[in-house]
Amino acid sequence: MVKKPATNNDERQCWGCSTSLELYDNPWKIKKALTSSDLGKLNRLLFGSNLLQNFMVPVLGRDAQRDAESGMRTPVRVWDVDTMSMHQLVLKRWASSKNYVLIGRWNRDFVKRRVLKKGDEIGLQWDSYRSCFNFSVLKRIEQTNSDFNPKPT
């Protein structure tokens, strides 16, 4: 009797694993293209409520979750993976719009130090080993010649 070759389903049942190819899961769950208001004098990084509600708030401790959701200031540590430096920001939820903001030294520690521009894409991810958020500049906006040369007057 000729035995038919095993299919992936048969292999999974026999060996308890799959040999099928799965696509890579991007670890940067929180991504944002920076806007003028993120880079301005208000010194804050604004996020929509759903993004942080789903990916940032759940990894905070219970007290920090309660504080963040009630609009109180919640300190969060942020590791800049590109420059290997630790920073402290504050997470807060605005009562009026229900959006979240990262405030504190955002402008000094990130915007100015990393020379962030409108349109640059940044990413945040939770680092359970360090108990902090990892930060990276994922994509820089293309600079044009007009960005470097002032227009003649």
Side-chain angles (χ1 to χ4, degrees):
M1 173 181 241
V2 177
K3 225 175 178 187
K4 124 179 157 174
T7 64
N8 270 350
N9 288 339
D10 294 336
E11 289 173 5
R12 253 184 262 146
Q13 290 173 354
C14 181
W15 295 99
C17 65
S18 172
T19 58
S20 64
L21 177 65
E22 294 196 18
L23 297 176
Y24 171 74
D25 184 29
N26 190 333
W28 300 104
K29 301 295 185 197
I30 301 170
K31 295 181 192 175
K32 180 164 194 210
L34 297 175
T35 64
S36 296
S37 67
D38 296 323
L39 305 170
K41 294 182 181 182
L42 295 175
N43 194 27
R44 54 112 172 108
L45 177 62
L46 176 67
F47 290 97
S49 62
N50 287 342
L51 186 62
L52 293 195
Q53 190 69 37
N54 292 332
F55 295 111
M56 184 176 270
V57 174
V59 297
L60 301 173
R62 283 188 189 170
D63 292 340
Q65 283 179 3
R66 184 187 65 245
D67 290 349
E69 290 172 354
S70 68
M72 295 179 66
R73 296 171 175 250
T74 304
V76 292
R77 295 179 338 127
V78 181
W79 174 254
D80 187 332
V81 298
D82 303 323
T83 63
M84 298 191 311
S85 56
M86 186 64 78
H87 304 272
Q88 183 86 20
L89 293 176
V90 175
L91 177 65
K92 183 177 179 180
R93 186 173 192 185
W94 282 346
S96 59
S97 65
K98 303 294 184 201
N99 289 329
Y100 287 90
V101 290
L102 282 173
I103 57 176
R105 293 166 47 160
W106 162 249
N107 228 339
R108 184 180 132 195
D109 288 357
F110 292 92
V111 175
K112 290 178 182 172
R113 187 179 63 87
R114 297 298 308 279
V115 192
L116 298 175
K117 303 285 183 211
K118 180 180 175 183
D120 287 350
E121 183 180 38
I122 61 158
L124 291 165
Q125 69 176 11
W126 178 247
D127 182 339
S128 57
Y129 180 74
R130 284 192 178 103
S131 296
C132 68
F133 287 94
N134 289 334
F135 169 92
S136 182
V137 178
L138 302 177
K139 185 169 61 171
R140 294 273 185 182
I141 193 72
E142 292 293 321
Q143 300 287 332
T144 63
N145 286 340
S146 64
D147 293 335
F148 300 109
N149 299 326
K151 293 182 181 178
T153 56

